[in-house]
Amino acid sequence: MAEFPFEISPMFEGERVRKDGMFVELGGPKSLGLELVRAKPMDEIEDDKVTIIGPDLKEMEEGKTYPWAMIFHIGGELVEPDLESVVERRVHDFINYCQGIMHLNQRYDVWMRVSKDTASKMDSFEPFGQAVMMLFKTELPFIEKMQVTFYTDKAEVEKQMEEAKEIFKARDARTKDLHDEDVDVFYGCTLCQSFAPTNVCVVSPDRISLCGAINWFDGRAAAKVDPEGPQFEIAKGDLIDAEKGEYSGINEIAKKLSSGEYDKINLHSFFEYPHTSCGCFEVVGFYIPEVDGIGWVNREYQGMAPNGIGFSTMAGQTGGGKQIVGFLGIGINYFYSPKFIQADGGWNRVVWLPAMLKEKVDEAIPADLKDKIATENDATDIESLKAFLQEKEHPVVANWAAEEEEEEEEEEEEEVAVAAAPMMMPAAGFQMPAMPMMSGGSSGGIKLTFKNAKITIDRMIISEKKEKK
C-alpha cells in the first residue's frame, strides 16, 4: 500500500469530526456538496490523476465552510453506466476509511469535514484523492482506471451541480414502469450500518434507498459485480400484506441484519412497523396528531416545521437505524412511487411540505391536492395549518368530523357505564365514608366523565362535611 499522510482503515468508519476539532467544512447544510461517478472509455482516463479547481486545502481558512464537488471517472472492461450509482455510493465508505475526514450523505447533499490533525499533515487534497482511488481499485477490481476532479470554486460547483441533477433525474426515471410485484427479488444495502448499526435498507422497484442513491436496477448491478459487497439480494418470500408491503423475506432479513432488534418491516406503511431510518435519508416525515396528517421536511430546508421542530432535530431522533412510529426517513424519489405510504392514505394524508420540496416533487403530487398541501408560506404553526386545511377542504378535514362524532359516542358510553356500574369494593382496611346526597335534584349521586384519560391516584380522601350545630 502506498504511503499517505494519514492512516487508512475501516476502523475509522463512524468517526465524527466535531466543530471544535474541524479545520474546514466542505458542502453540508451551509453550502453546496456534490459527488458523482461517471463511466468513460479507458483511453479517456488518466489513471490516478487528481485535479483541483478552486482553492486547495493549504489556501483555505481554518473554521470556514467551502462549496465542494467530487467528480470521479472510472473505466474498465466490465464498467458500464449501470454501475455509476453503485460505485458512487461507495464513496461514503472509502472516504470514511481515511482518518480525520468525515463524510455524510450522498449525491447533491454531501457534507464533509477535515480535522485539524489531518490537515496539519497535508497541504493539498491530492493525497486524499489518491487514497480514495486506491481503495476503490482495491475493493472493486472491475475498476481498472480512475481519475478525480475536486471543485471548490463556487461557480464551478454550481455548474457541476446543475448537470449532475439532470443525470440523477434520468437514473431515477428508470424504475417508473417497474413495480414490486413484477420482480422476484429485492435488494438490501448495509452501507449506513457504520453510523446506524440496526438499519435495514430495503430497495424495491417501488421504494428507492433512503439516501436516494440506489434504485432496484442499481442494487441488481452491484450484487452482480460484487456478490460479497454491501448491496445484496433479498428473497421476497411470501406476500403477507400487499397494502402495507409486508413480505416474509423482508421480515427474515430485518431480524438478521438488526441483530434481532426488529422482526418486521412494512415497505409502504408510515405507522405500522415502518422502514428503519438510517440518517442519510433525504427527507423525514412527521405525524401531526392535531390535524391527523403527515408533514415532510427535506435536508436543505433550514426553517421550522409547523410542529416547531427543524430537520436536524427530527433527523436526530429518527435516524440511527431506529423504527420510529410517527417519523420516517425516505429518499425523495419515493414520493413518485404509486405505493407511497399507501397503507396510511398516500398523498391524501400529506398536509405540509417546505415550498422548495413541494416545487421539486410537483409532478408527483396529484393535481387535486396541489393547492391543498400547505408550505411555510401558508402555515407556520398548528393553528394556521388547521385553518389552511379547513379553508382548502383537504381530505384530512373530513376525518376530523368523523373522529369528533366517534369521541362523543365514546363519551356517552363512558357516562352510561359510570352511572350504571356498581360501587367497587374497597381494599381491606379502607373505610369509605357515607356519600352525601347532592342537593338540587331527586336523582342524587356523582357524575364523572373521563375523555381519553389515563388517571393514576396514589391516595384519595373523601370526607363528609358536617354542619355546625
Side-chain angles (χ1 to χ4, degrees), residues 273-314:
Y273 299 102
H275 196 291
T276 57
S277 297
C278 56
C280 290
F281 44 75
E282 296 181 291
V283 181
V284 63
F286 55 98
Y287 179 57
I288 309 173
E290 293 88 345
V291 299
D292 193 29
I294 297 169
W296 301 88
V297 59
N298 55 320
R299 188 177 296 276
E300 301 95 324
Y301 181 64
Q302 298 296 304
M304 294 292 168
N307 60 1
I309 308 176
F311 177 89
S312 59
T313 302
M314 283 192 270

Side-chain angles (χ1 to χ4, degrees), residues 230-254:
Q231 286 93 26
F232 49 90
E233 281 192 5
I234 296 177
K236 287 172 62 175
D238 298 326
L239 174 61
I240 299 173
D241 191 314
E243 187 76 4
K244 296 173 184 174
E246 183 183 0
Y247 294 83
S248 63
I250 292 178
N251 290 343
E252 289 169 12
I253 203 71

Side-chain angles (χ1 to χ4, degrees), residues 38-292:
R38 299 294 280 159
K40 289 184 73 173
M42 282 200 287
D43 59 3
E44 296 181 19
I45 297 175
E46 188 174 340
D47 199 24
D48 293 331
K49 182 180 180 181
V50 178
T51 303
I52 298 153
I53 298 177
D56 202 347
L57 185 62
K58 63 183 177 183
E59 300 163 319
M60 292 181 170
E61 185 178 345
E62 182 176 329
K64 296 293 185 180
T65 299
Y66 292 84
W68 178 254
M70 300 178 283
I71 311 297
F72 295 89
H73 288 101
I74 59 173
E77 187 178 346
L78 299 178
V79 170
E80 57 185 67
D82 280 357
L83 290 173
E84 289 177 347
S85 58
V86 174
V87 174
E88 201 172 281
R89 197 65 190 100
R90 298 301 295 274
V91 171
H92 176 76
D93 265 357
F94 300 143
I95 288 181
N96 282 313
Y97 283 9
C98 300
Q99 184 184 26
I101 302 178
M102 183 186 79
H103 176 281
L104 296 172
N105 309 330
Q106 65 293 310
R107 284 190 169 188
Y108 42 73
D109 288 326
V110 171
W111 184 6
M112 289 177 55
R113 283 178 174 175
V114 180
S115 72
K116 293 177 183 178
D117 182 60
T118 295
S120 70
K121 299 173 184 177
M122 61 181 189
D123 59 6
S124 173
F125 288 115
E126 184 172 357
F128 161 66
Q130 290 172 339
V132 173
M133 289 190 289
M134 178 273 294
L135 288 167
F136 266 111
K137 289 190 286 183
T138 301
E139 297 287 329
L140 304 176
F142 61 85
I143 300 175
E144 299 176 45
K145 296 179 74 175
M146 191 172 194
Q147 70 180 50
V148 63
T149 302
F150 295 136
Y151 297 86
T152 60
D153 177 81
K154 185 178 181 182
E156 284 291 337
V157 172
E158 290 174 342
K159 177 183 175 183
Q160 296 298 324
M161 183 75 75
E162 187 176 343
E163 294 175 2
K165 286 186 175 181
E166 290 302 312
I167 294 169
F168 296 144
K169 185 177 180 180
R171 286 182 190 170
D172 294 340
R174 297 179 62 205
T175 57
K176 184 178 180 181
D177 298 320
L178 188 70
H179 303 292
D180 293 352
E181 56 271 20
D182 300 328
V183 300
D184 297 324
V185 298
F186 297 148
Y187 292 94
C189 181
T190 56
L191 276 173
C192 288
Q193 286 203 336
S194 60
F195 290 92
T198 58
N199 187 55
V200 183
C201 195
V202 180
V203 182
S204 78
D206 283 310
R207 201 180 200 284
I208 198 167
S209 63
L210 277 68
C211 66
I214 303 291
N215 62 34
W216 186 86
F217 287 106
D218 300 329
R220 183 178 67 174
K224 180 180 178 181
V225 299
D226 188 15
E228 303 301 318
Q231 286 93 26
F232 49 90
E233 281 192 5
I234 296 177
K236 287 172 62 175
D238 298 326
L239 174 61
I240 299 173
D241 191 314
E243 187 76 4
K244 296 173 184 174
E246 183 183 0
Y247 294 83
S248 63
I250 292 178
N251 290 343
E252 289 169 12
I253 203 71
K255 189 171 184 178
K256 178 182 177 181
L257 293 183
S258 71
S259 300
E261 187 77 15
Y262 312 111
D263 58 10
K264 184 183 290 190
I265 287 178
N266 294 331
L267 291 181
H268 307 299
S269 175
F270 190 96
F271 295 108
E272 187 174 342
Y273 299 102
H275 196 291
T276 57
S277 297
C278 56
C280 290
F281 44 75
E282 296 181 291
V283 181
V284 63
F286 55 98
Y287 179 57
I288 309 173
E290 293 88 345
V291 299
D292 193 29

Side-chain angles (χ1 to χ4, degrees), residues 425-443:
M425 291 299 294
F430 178 83
Q431 294 187 7
M432 176 71 76
M435 297 295 291
M437 296 297 292
M438 303 294 289
S439 61
S442 59
S443 60

